[in-house]
Amino acid sequence: MVTVSGGRKAKAEREQTTSIGNYLLSKTIGEGTFGKVKVGVHILTGERVAVKVLEKDRIVDKGDVKRVSREIQILKHIQHPNLIHLLEVIEKPRHLYLVTEHIAGGELFDYIVRNGRLAEDVGCRLFRQIMLAVDACHAMNVIHRDLKPENMMVDDALNLKLIDFGLSNTSEGELLATACGSPCYAAPEMIAGKRYNGPLADIWSLGVCLFAMLCGFLPFEDANTPALYRSILNGEYTLPDFLSDDAKALIRGMLTVDPTQRFTTKAIYSHPWFVKAIREPVPPALTMNVDALRDALTTKIDPRVLQLMEQVGFSREQVEADIRARKRNHCTATFFLLVRRKSDAPLKPMRKPAPPAGPKPAAGGKEEGAAGAKPAAQVKQAKPPAPGSMAAMRAAAAAAAAAAEALSLIHI
Ligand code: PIT
């Protein structure tokens, strides 16, 4: 008993609350080489946020600085219900804080571990959201490059959001060169060290994700890294008999070694499994629908939220101007948090009117340099392995990643 309560006390001390800008940060909910993701509370609205804490000390070389500033630029640019929303960036002398919305729930990875392989209707409901998210990225010229169930958050109602843009890049159709992401999910052309088409490489990774969701294990798995790469390069994997014929055909189309023959977004959106495995109609793909893309990028201003913001000291003009300019500051963060707020607990009015642009993300719109980016091929290893085949999947991925160190350094 003593040990338990003593342990709790020590844990509580370690998880002391600190205040950053308008947020109170408490326990760590995620960890990587870059630093930690902590849960926070937005003081004014009482809403939860997730805060990625980047330690400037750990961003040493030019490549790291470039990766982090790219991550921030991309997070500021994207906007979609299935993509994590960046609320604001707070810079302090030793840290950089990326404040995002908080997703109540956990990783799709853990969901699969808990539930085993997913029924095809559940898988389709989730996979459609994954496709919507990735297609939204592609419509905004963003290539994620680290698509895996660990980077997809799912809540109790099966709403899914894509996180972690630490390895992403932009492309307007030009080929990309840097091989990155987890080896088990990496496209063959990337493994082969070729220049690659970004969206098609993401689609390969989504094929691996769909396989993992419907089967409960990975298509390409080998503790021996060269053997793993060989099976990916040759597209050697086995589709279990329990899959429906439509699911098999879709996975086969996505896991096609030759990227020019691989299923495109358009082919996936019109595939019988994607269309028919659940009843709800398929929402439009943003890459194929300019109006839907414009809609996704336009924030509607709810007059009730505007009124609430006026009550706590923001001016109507400021809110409208900042939202229209797509700024990420305390004003737009408060607006966004109020829009998704479920509770009607009273707001804590500010003593003085809100400053024009809250705690500043690196002054003057200049690049927020620094912070520890994940090395390529890094796979999270923080949690103890859970029993079952997905644990083997994580262990295999971690072993492969450790062996590979960084895919960008591997030449076959
Ligand atoms: C969590 C829980 C949660 C949000 C996040 C993580 C978000 C993490 C994140 C990480 C990134 C990024 C954006 C968001 O670019 O509610 O465990 O690297």
Side-chain angles (χ1 to χ4, degrees):
M1 285 301 278
V2 174
T3 331
V4 172
S5 62
R8 277 210 196 110
K9 193 169 166 228
K11 193 162 178 249
E13 275 163 10
R14 257 184 279 124
E15 288 170 356
Q16 252 178 9
T17 305
T18 51
S19 122
I20 297 297
N22 300 287
Y23 305 89
L24 293 178
L25 307 194
S26 55
K27 68 174 185 194
T28 300
I29 51 175
E31 209 149 346
T33 38
F34 54 79
K36 295 172 177 167
V37 178
K38 287 182 167 279
V39 69
V41 172
H42 181 237
I43 296 165
L44 192 57
T45 58
E47 287 295 291
R48 278 178 174 225
V49 294
V51 182
K52 183 167 165 175
V53 184
L54 302 171
E55 292 171 34
K56 290 183 175 179
D57 282 356
R58 286 160 74 172
I59 311 132
V60 240
D61 61 62
K62 264 191 191 161
D64 288 341
V65 175
K66 197 169 156 193
R67 260 197 297 277
V68 172
S69 56
R70 193 190 276 155
E71 177 179 1
I72 292 168
Q73 290 314 316
I74 286 173
L75 283 170
K76 281 182 175 173
H77 182 63
I78 55 174
Q79 183 160 322
H80 187 271
N82 297 112
L83 299 176
I84 188 88
H85 184 93
L86 178 75
L87 293 164
E88 53 181 320
V89 180
I90 299 170
E91 187 169 12
K92 296 283 177 201
R94 295 186 49 223
H95 295 99
L96 210 55
Y97 301 88
L98 310 193
V99 185
T100 69
E101 64 181 315
H102 178 264
I103 301 143
E107 295 172 7
L108 175 59
F109 188 98
D110 296 320
Y111 184 86
I112 302 171
V113 171
R114 257 199 328 274
N115 297 286
R117 67 181 160 93
L118 311 183
E120 292 198 9
D121 59 339
V122 176
C124 184
R125 185 155 288 121
L126 290 168
F127 183 69
R128 276 193 186 177
Q129 295 180 70
I130 298 171
M131 270 315 295
L132 282 175
V134 174
D135 172 68
C137 291
H138 294 171
M140 298 166 197
N141 298 324
V142 170
I143 316 301
H144 189 281
R145 302 202 295 188
D146 197 14
L147 294 167
K148 55 184 177 183
E150 292 91 322
N151 285 338
M152 297 164 189
M153 304 291 289
V154 186
D155 70 14
D156 291 344
L158 286 191
N159 297 310
L160 180 143
K161 285 190 199 244
L162 188 57
I163 63 164
D164 203 340
F165 286 76
L167 293 179
S168 57
N169 203 348
T170 52
S171 160
E172 289 179 48
E174 73 277 15
L175 299 182
L176 298 172
T178 311
C180 50
S182 305
C184 294
Y185 295 84
E189 61 274 23
M190 213 188 234
I191 300 262
K194 296 180 188 159
R195 287 186 167 265
Y196 59 90
N197 171 293
L200 288 171
D202 270 354
I203 285 177
W204 173 279
S205 307
L206 291 184
V208 179
C209 291
L210 179 58
F211 184 109
M213 287 159 70
L214 301 185
C215 301
F217 56 92
L218 285 166
F220 308 104
E221 223 176 340
D222 205 312
N224 175 300
T225 308
L228 170 71
Y229 289 163
R230 227 175 296 125
S231 59
I232 296 172
L233 288 168
N234 296 326
E236 286 164 5
Y237 65 96
T238 310
L239 287 160
D241 289 339
F242 57 71
L243 290 176
S244 68
D245 288 344
D246 280 345
K248 282 184 192 162
L250 177 55
I251 293 171
R252 243 184 249 119
M254 299 177 78
L255 295 183
T256 299
V257 172
D258 178 354
T260 66
Q261 301 301 309
R262 193 173 300 152
F263 274 10
T264 57
T265 301
K266 197 171 169 196
I268 298 166
Y269 267 74
S270 53
H271 193 274
W273 189 83
F274 195 79
V275 177
K276 290 196 304 208
I278 50 173
R279 279 210 183 157
E280 294 93 276
V282 179
L286 304 197
T287 44
M288 293 185 276
N289 188 324
V290 184
D291 292 336
L293 176 60
R294 199 184 311 112
D295 261 11
L297 291 170
T298 310
T299 306
K300 285 166 201 70
I301 302 185
D302 182 338
R304 285 166 305 178
V305 173
L306 211 51
Q307 203 177 359
L308 269 174
M309 290 198 61
E310 276 189 309
Q311 281 169 20
V312 289
F314 291 93
S315 86
R316 180 175 286 259
E317 294 71 31
Q318 182 196 344
V319 179
E320 285 173 340
D322 285 3
I323 293 285
R324 226 176 292 119
R326 307 190 61 222
K327 289 193 177 161
R328 307 291 168 116
N329 56 28
H330 185 226
C331 173
T332 57
T334 306
F335 176 87
F336 181 84
L337 289 169
L338 285 175
V339 169
R340 68 199 291 275
R341 191 175 193 238
K342 302 277 185 302
S343 100
D344 50 9
L347 299 182
K348 295 186 189 114
M350 291 183 291
R351 274 191 212 98
K352 54 180 171 30
K360 288 189 184 53
K366 73 173 158 61
E367 290 265 75
E368 299 91 339
K374 267 201 265 192
Q378 181 241 329
V379 173
K380 190 167 47 175
Q381 296 167 15
K383 291 175 198 162
S389 51
M390 284 298 276
M393 174 171 139
R394 194 196 283 272
E405 184 88 352
L407 197 51
S408 54
L409 300 177
I410 292 162
H411 308 287
I412 293 179

